[in-house]
Amino acid sequence: MEYNFKETEQKWRKFWEDNQTYKTEIDHAKPKYYVLDMFPYPSGAGLHVGHPLGYIASDIIARYKRLKGFNVLHPMGFDSFGLPAEQYAIQTGQHPAITTEENITTYIRQLKQIGFSYDWSREVRTSDAKYYKWTQWIFMQLFKHYYDKDANKALPIASLVERFAVSGNKDINAVCDEDTPNFTAEEWNGMSEQEQQTLLLKFRLTFPDDSVVNWCPALGTVLANDEIKDGVSERGGYPVEQKKMKQWAMRITAYADRLIDGLNEVDWSDALKEQQRNWIGRSTGASVKFKVDASTVQENAPEFIEVFTTRVDTIYGVSFMVIAPEHEYVPFLTTAAQKSTVDEYVKWVASRTELDRMSEVKKVTGAFTGSYVINPFNDEKVPIFLADYVLAGYGTGAVMGVPSGDQRDWNFAKYFDLPIVPILDAQKDIEEQADNTKEGKYINSGIIDGMGYKEATATLTKWLEERGIGKGKIQYRLRNAVFSRQRYWGEPVPAYFKNGSGDVSLPYLIEESELPLELPVIDKYLPTETGEPPLGRAEGWKYKGEYEYELSTMPGWAGSSWYWYRYMDAQNEQEFASQEAINYWKAVDLYLGGSEHATGHLLYSRFWNKFLKDLGLVPEEEFAKKLINQGMIQGRSNFVYRVKSSVGEGKNPVFVSFGLKEQYETTPIHVDVNIVSNDVLDLNAFKNWRSDFENAEFILEDGKYICGVEVEKMSKSKYNVVNPDVLVDKVGADTLRLYEMFLGPLEQAKPWNTNGIDGSFRFIKKVWRLFYDDLGNFKVKDETPTPAELKVLHTCIKKVEEDLERYSFNTVVSTLMICVNDLGSLKCAKKAILQELVILMSPYTPHIAEELWVLLGNEAGTISYATFPKFNASLLVEANFDYPISINGKVRANISFPTDAIPADIEAGVLANEVVQKWLEGKAPKKVIVVPKRIVNVVL
RNA sequence: GCCCAGAUGGCGGAAUUGGUAGACGCGCUGGUCUCAAACACCAGUGUCUUCACUGGCAUGCCGGUUCGACUCCGGCUCUGGGUACCA
């Protein structure tokens, strides 16, 4: 009798659902274990084979931990706000809520099909008002708090206001904007409401701020870097420019130190922690104010330009200063003679993205403003340049150029023919390249001549501080996080604006009792004619019928920055989760997801978690104790090639087939792999695929359009998604689960390839044949196992347990295969052995395990809460060990010795061996190394 | 460019702490069963040499440490992830 996986799997999935087998409650009698998957964005393409990889692994751990006696929380939900649904809405007019709902339904059906042991009663969706009510609530708390450096935590703004009223801000040690002025209590108390509120924004943990964005005038919207290809919008091919815009920001920089320090207490990979440390980029240095030479500058020019440097010791080597081309000072510093050069340069830089600017470092570009600053140490005039390698958003947007010590500065100095001054006697070949050494004694360096690095730095810093023109400073690369999106499909910001005198209007929060602030209905999902975000279209959408709401929405990461708490108490309408639930489940014990979230989601989530802890709402400083990054299942992408000259207003886009593309200048564009077959594009499907391609024209080869191919990550934006449904239908969920784990180490990236899935399928059938003979008779007997059978079983128990404890999911599959092969060879059909095997298999192949468990006479549904087999080491004891004997590190023989033989006896035995004798050629060995129960090495 | 990974047979991979490189599986080759095929089972399978035994070579490339290196160190090459509005 063949195993009927279809019927059996369906039967058990229904049983688990009907009996709520995996529903979880707080249970103080058992230790808790929280295993969490990074929840998916429910894309229109459905679940792809890359998703389950992590989910299968976490499900295996969840099932394993249940067998080990833990009370396991294992939930799933959806990060359901996001761009693709909105993009689809723009194309079709369909409300994103409808498509999102449909997509989620598909996802749930697909997930349930794979036999995951989720407690579905706890499902969350970030786009559900019952959920985003609490996202908005957390946003409000951020607005109502500031970061107090003395308390080293967030404190209420209300307490800050009280202190301002008593003693101004001179004793306040708080994280705030750079340009926050000093003020006394009298000054504070004398301020208008508007002035006070403006000042408080400099302290709040979320606040409106100017930031530079990719603005696409033709689409009237801001684009992600992702949506820009070759400087034009991927959608439509329109030009994009850099533009300053008021955006909500999150003062994540307040938590920079705690975000770095907290990494020491979590069990995450070193690679990931290193990435976060680098992202935060704490560097110790000094800030220095350079006085602007007033003789050439325009009216209203600044008195000083401040720079941050990690090498203040090189300050005597400064031969120019560079400020960012978009820096607000530029107009004031530009002389009439340089104006046309500067304007042209600024315009060119505005057309480039930040990524372009950082990537292209080989080509030096820049422009001289015509103005100078004065080096405070030697009173020399230093020319001020603009250059695109300085970004306005980093530090002060200005850097001092030291060509002898920094290669980028050196390149710049060569290009503009600026002096390259040596500053250390240890610097070598500085006419050829920069030398950033800190060794040697300073030269050409005024007050630090003859000193070493440490002394010089201290001397200079002291000198600056005494004169009030500089100080030691810790600078972070981390920037405050932009928290606004000019989009519809996201959480509305629970804020409105009033006190609008002229263009100044201030944000205020709505009342907590008015939450959730729901997304209003709009007619279409595009910006307004005046360039406002889509919410500007909502008719009569005003706070108390009077005040403008914030029209941007929250970014994708808002809802995902706290969701693990909502699972603890998903239906709670009074709080984001009850204190009882939070204090029972505490933090995530195992978190599984892709490494592409290293510096996004995982940093923002840690930030919000620390904030919630400061408020006393959650107990743990770090929300995820252990984290594993599953490697990406890579996709096979297809490309079409758009001819560049066919892009623009009123033109039909032209696409050239792969083989002919070298004859044109083209932009490669991803095309949905589902409308491509054997790399041949379905032309009609392509025209229907995206509205801007409906008039597409093609240059064909042999009457066909051949697409390009590349292996890259499988993702909705690359349109290369492969669906697991087909596989479940063909070979069953158990086989799919086994196969995905068998592919290789969880952390490693690999392209999706179904070759080899037969091996997993055969394994399932082999297991079945341990229970049934060829005639379909159930053959399991209640007999006493032999030592050989017990040895096979316990070898397996040991290895499965060890491997699961170190999350080596692929080797467990091999171990199970070896065990089943060996039991097959032994013709073992004994209940005592097979019953334990079934438990060992059950985390991987829950369906067939349930079936066999019941066939062995157990109660249905109880295998999930059975006891993991106990390993008995005494069953594996061997009398002898087979030593590999190597000569000069190469194995030449194998000799068996008693397990407890002493090295001297082994050495004697080895030297007597004829193979060894042959290699010795009568001579005595130089050395014999005996590693007990491992190896013997004879050195000639 | 910068930050972080990875590279082992025809293919996916194993080797957990420096100790037999290639477990397990796919594929392939030969055989058993069958009218035939599928399934299943048995045997072989890194490469060169050889009838065979044996031996040489071999973990991306170059060099080093060690009795011994896929594993540690230095220098490269290529591939993937991130690079702040994809999530």
Side-chain angles (χ1 to χ4, degrees):
Chain A
M1 185 175 71
E2 277 276 293
Y3 171 54
N4 185 336
F5 67 87
K6 252 182 208 171
E7 207 174 276
T8 309
E9 290 192 349
Q10 265 166 28
K11 176 175 79 185
W12 288 112
R13 289 198 282 267
K14 183 165 189 315
F15 178 91
W16 297 328
E17 184 146 3
D18 291 349
N19 293 278
Q20 303 216 33
T21 305
Y22 303 109
K23 192 163 165 56
T24 309
E25 304 290 352
I26 291 175
D27 177 357
H28 292 281
K30 282 183 178 178
K32 68 96 189 182
Y33 194 86
Y34 187 176
V35 48
L36 179 66
D37 295 297
M38 287 186 192
F39 61 170
Y41 173 81
S43 88
L47 204 65
H48 65 68
V49 288
H51 283 118
L53 184 72
Y55 305 157
I56 292 166
S58 65
D59 196 58
I60 287 165
I61 294 297
R63 289 176 180 274
Y64 170 69
K65 288 289 176 181
R66 283 190 204 103
L67 297 174
K68 284 284 194 177
F70 288 86
N71 186 29
V72 175
L73 177 57
H74 186 42
M76 180 47 83
F78 302 94
D79 192 9
S80 47
F81 274 132
L83 266 183
E86 180 155 344
Q87 209 61 262
Y88 189 73
I90 291 170
Q91 286 166 27
T92 63
Q94 176 109 280
H95 194 286
I98 297 169
T99 36
T100 301
E101 170 83 33
E102 286 169 5
N103 293 348
I104 289 177
T105 306
T106 305
Y107 265 60
I108 291 179
R109 180 183 57 76
Q110 291 180 303
L111 287 167
K112 286 191 172 169
Q113 202 166 236
I114 304 173
F116 295 127
S117 61
Y118 293 126
D119 176 356
W120 281 106
S121 71
R122 294 170 183 268
E123 184 212 318
V124 303
R125 303 175 183 193
T126 57
S127 62
D128 183 343
K130 287 191 189 123
Y131 180 91
Y132 71 67
K133 171 181 178 178
W134 298 108
T135 309
Q136 293 172 329
W137 183 84
I138 295 170
F139 171 88
M140 293 173 81
Q141 307 314 309
L142 284 155
F143 187 81
K144 290 180 189 173
H145 287 77
Y146 75 102
Y147 200 87
D148 191 289
K149 290 197 224 175
D150 290 333
N152 203 22
K153 64 189 276 197
L155 292 176
I157 282 281
S159 72
L160 188 66
V161 171
E162 281 172 27
R163 290 173 67 190
F164 284 168
V166 176
S167 52
N169 72 343
K170 77 175 186 330
D171 297 326
I172 305 284
N173 187 15
V175 177
C176 58
D177 289 357
E178 288 278 327
D179 61 356
T180 307
N182 292 321
F183 53 87
T184 64
E186 290 71 38
E187 285 170 322
W188 171 260
N189 293 325
M191 287 179 199
S192 69
E193 156 82 5
Q194 180 164 332
E195 288 166 329
Q196 288 185 342
Q197 288 303 323
T198 306
L199 204 49
L200 286 176
L201 288 177
K202 295 179 183 298
F203 292 86
R204 295 183 190 276
L205 287 174
T206 184
F207 59 101
D209 190 22
D210 283 325
S211 43
V212 179
V213 296
N214 301 311
W215 177 254
C216 180
L219 294 172
T221 190
V222 174
L223 297 176
N225 283 328
D226 203 48
E227 298 171 290
I228 303 170
K229 292 272 141 52
D230 296 331
V232 297
S233 64
E234 187 176 38
R235 185 157 48 93
Y238 303 109
V240 179
E241 62 188 49
Q242 303 296 299
K243 185 182 167 187
K244 249 188 188 178
M245 234 182 178
K246 268 275 184 251
Q247 307 267 301
W248 284 87
M250 286 277 162
R251 216 180 284 281
I252 187 173
T253 49
Y255 284 84
D257 281 318
R258 278 167 67 187
L259 287 169
I260 288 182
D261 297 342
L263 291 173
N264 296 329
E265 63 174 86
V266 291
D267 183 7
W268 296 11
S269 76
D270 289 336
L272 192 136
K273 291 200 271 193
E274 194 59 19
Q275 269 189 80
Q276 290 213 346
R277 282 191 198 100
N278 291 336
W279 184 262
I280 296 165
R282 175 159 61 190
S283 56
T284 310
S287 70
V288 183
K289 285 182 182 168
F290 283 72
K291 196 169 172 42
V292 175
D293 177 5
S295 60
T296 55
V297 299
Q298 310 297 309
E299 231 178 301
N300 299 323
E303 203 179 334
F304 292 98
I305 295 178
E306 188 171 349
V307 300
F308 173 80
T309 174
T310 54
R311 288 296 301 273
V312 69
D313 61 299
T314 65
I315 199 159
Y316 282 96
V318 171
S319 54
F320 60 97
M321 172 170 286
V322 184
I323 65 172
E326 63 272 41
H327 203 290
E328 52 177 330
Y329 291 166
V330 171
F332 308 120
L333 297 173
T334 305
T335 60
Q338 292 300 111
K339 190 165 187 315
S340 61
T341 313
V342 166
D343 285 353
E344 200 178 311
Y345 186 67
V346 168
K347 201 174 151 207
W348 177 73
V349 171
S351 71
R352 289 157 56 82
T353 65
E354 206 170 273
L355 192 58
D356 292 335
R357 290 172 56 179
M358 285 189 298
S359 309
E360 277 179 40
V361 295
K362 291 204 174 109
K363 200 172 137 218
V364 176
T365 68
F368 179 44
T369 60
S371 294
Y372 297 84
V373 287
I374 308 294
N375 186 334
F377 286 95
N378 56 14
D379 292 331
E380 273 176 24
K381 271 173 83 174
V382 176
I384 307 170
F385 282 79
L386 309 183
D388 67 349
Y389 71 81
V390 177
L391 303 173
Y394 282 4
T396 60
V399 301
M400 60 186 215
V402 184
S404 67
D406 181 287
Q407 190 59 42
R408 204 167 43 179
D409 293 346
W410 189 93
N411 295 344
F412 196 82
K414 273 283 171 199
Y415 185 81
F416 285 101
D417 203 19
L418 297 160
I420 298 172
V421 184
I423 40 170
L424 278 158
D425 58 10
Q427 280 178 324
K428 283 199 211 89
D429 304 328
I430 61 166
E431 273 310 308
E432 301 305 314
Q433 59 182 350
D435 181 351
N436 65 0
T437 183
K438 294 174 183 175
E439 304 293 314
K441 304 285 181 211
Y442 289 87
I443 53 174
N444 302 323
S445 292
I447 62 168
I448 55 166
D449 268 343
M451 292 183 187
Y453 172 75
K454 268 196 160 163
E455 192 189 357
T457 303
T459 306
L460 295 168
T461 308
K462 184 158 165 269
W463 193 92
L464 289 166
E465 280 172 0
E466 280 167 5
R467 284 159 185 76
I469 54 170
K471 58 184 181 222
K473 193 179 171 188
I474 292 171
Q475 175 90 10
Y476 301 91
R477 203 182 74 95
L478 181 73
R479 320 207 285 249
N480 282 329
V482 179
F483 199 68
S484 292
R485 299 293 181 264
Q486 319 301 307
R487 310 282 182 180
Y488 175 73
W489 193 229
E491 299 86 349
V493 175
Y496 64 93
F497 291 87
K498 70 173 182 187
N499 284 359
S501 58
D503 55 350
V504 183
S505 60
L506 288 168
Y508 287 85
L509 296 179
I510 67 172
E511 296 296 321
E512 286 185 13
S513 59
E514 291 164 335
L515 291 175
L517 174 61
E518 296 202 32
L519 266 176
V521 174
I522 57 175
D523 56 345
K524 47 182 176 173
Y525 304 95
L526 289 170
T528 65
E529 280 64 36
T530 54
E532 297 208 293
L535 285 184
R537 294 179 171 275
E539 265 178 55
W541 193 58
K542 292 239 159 71
Y543 183 60
K544 298 197 189 295
E546 178 172 6
Y547 303 109
E548 278 294 339
Y549 277 120
E550 169 61 53
L551 296 180
S552 66
T553 51
M554 297 189 195
W557 55 270
S560 60
S561 293
W562 68 279
Y563 73 110
W564 60 93
Y565 288 119
R566 191 60 181 169
Y567 284 133
M568 295 176 183
D569 193 8
Q571 316 302 334
N572 197 322
E573 297 199 353
Q574 269 66 52
E575 303 162 88
F576 67 90
S578 73
Q579 284 298 305
E580 190 203 1
I582 292 171
N583 286 309
Y584 177 76
W585 296 109
K586 287 193 171 72
V588 176
D589 294 289
L590 176 65
Y591 194 24
L592 247 139
S595 62
E596 69 273 22
H597 298 287
T599 50
H601 164 63
L602 288 172
L603 206 59
Y604 298 132
S605 293
R606 293 180 58 223
F607 159 43
W608 278 34
N609 187 69
K610 287 173 193 295
F611 172 69
L612 291 174
K613 181 180 181 246
D614 287 352
L615 269 51
L617 297 170
V618 307
E620 301 278 351
E621 176 79 10
E622 292 295 336
F623 80 97
K625 298 291 158 192
K626 165 88 191 165
L627 178 127
I628 300 176
N629 289 127
Q630 91 258 21
M632 203 107 35
I633 295 262
Q634 288 156 313
R636 196 172 176 280
S637 302
N638 280 118
F639 290 87
V640 291
Y641 300 90
R642 183 170 65 195
V643 176
K644 280 191 179 171
S645 59
S646 73
V647 168
E649 210 78 44
K651 293 185 191 165
N652 288 339
V654 176
F655 296 87
V656 56
S657 186
F658 179 77
L660 304 171
K661 76 182 171 69
E662 298 313 322
Q663 300 164 27
Y664 303 82
E665 258 198 71
T666 57
T667 308
I669 296 173
H670 283 91
V671 60
D672 190 337
V673 293
N674 297 300
I675 59 171
V676 176
S677 137
N678 291 328
D679 298 331
V680 177
L681 181 67
D682 179 335
L683 301 181
N684 284 324
F686 181 71
K687 289 182 179 183
N688 291 330
W689 180 51
R690 263 167 55 173
S691 60
D692 53 327
F693 293 163
E694 66 186 354
N695 296 318
E697 295 168 16
F698 304 95
I699 301 170
L700 306 177
E701 52 184 310
D702 302 333
K704 288 185 280 192
Y705 189 99
I706 310 291
C707 297
V709 176
E710 218 171 286
V711 170
E712 53 185 357
K713 81 170 173 176
M714 197 180 283
S715 99
K716 53 196 179 286
S717 65
K718 296 190 178 356
Y719 304 106
N720 57 4
V721 169
V722 177
N723 187 299
D725 292 19
V726 184
L727 294 172
V728 171
D729 187 58
K730 223 161 91 186
V731 292
D734 284 341
T735 299
L736 178 69
R737 290 170 64 108
L738 270 176
Y739 180 64
E740 291 224 14
M741 291 299 98
F742 193 50
L743 273 176
L746 185 62
E747 295 91 333
Q748 218 167 80
K750 49 225 151 201
W752 178 255
N753 187 350
T754 319
N755 297 347
I757 199 165
D758 288 352
S760 303
F761 195 36
R762 273 177 213 153
F763 168 77
I764 298 277
K765 289 190 278 193
K766 263 189 214 174
V767 171
W768 190 254
R769 282 199 302 272
L770 289 176
F771 288 75
Y772 283 94
D773 66 21
D774 294 344
L775 303 170
N777 301 311
F778 190 67
K779 60 181 182 180
V780 180
K781 300 266 163 25
D782 217 347
E783 293 168 353
T784 309
T786 64
E789 289 164 344
L790 283 167
K791 192 176 153 192
V792 167
L793 175 69
H794 281 259
T795 305
C796 183
I797 294 171
K798 178 167 189 276
K799 180 97 172 117
V800 167
E801 182 163 2
E802 281 174 1
D803 286 0
L804 281 178
E805 291 291 339
R806 66 187 175 103
Y807 310 103
S808 175
F809 296 95
N810 54 328
T811 52
V812 172
V813 182
S814 310
T815 304
L816 291 171
M817 285 176 170
I818 291 167
C819 181
V820 169
N821 287 347
D822 289 352
L823 292 178
S825 307
L826 292 169
K827 307 224 179 315
C828 172
K830 291 170 184 165
K831 186 179 169 184
I833 300 287
L834 295 183
Q835 175 148 308
E836 303 278 74
L837 172 67
V838 167
I839 298 174
L840 290 175
M841 287 173 54
S842 66
Y844 280 75
T845 56
H847 305 87
I848 191 173
E850 278 278 10
E851 181 72 14
L852 296 173
W853 182 250
V854 172
L855 284 171
L856 289 168
N858 300 287
E859 193 191 327
T862 57
I863 190 171
S864 298
Y865 299 92
T867 302
F868 194 83
K870 180 109 184 59
F871 169 63
N872 183 349
S874 66
L875 296 169
L876 303 190
V877 173
E878 297 273 359
N880 295 300
F881 182 81
D882 209 18
Y883 278 88
I885 311 303
S886 57
I887 314 269
N888 283 345
K890 288 230 163 219
V891 175
R892 301 291 178 186
N894 278 281
I895 310 174
S896 191
F897 290 101
T899 309
D900 54 1
I902 59 169
D905 294 347
I906 293 172
E907 185 173 335
V910 166
L911 294 178
N913 179 275
E914 71 179 285
V915 176
V916 177
Q917 289 280 327
K918 193 188 90 190
W919 282 91
L920 282 172
E921 291 171 334
K923 287 172 263 178
K926 275 203 193 108
K927 207 196 272 191
V928 178
I929 292 148
V930 178
V931 186
K933 281 195 263 182
R934 279 223 193 268
I935 200 166
V936 177
N937 191 16
V938 179
V939 184
L940 299 182

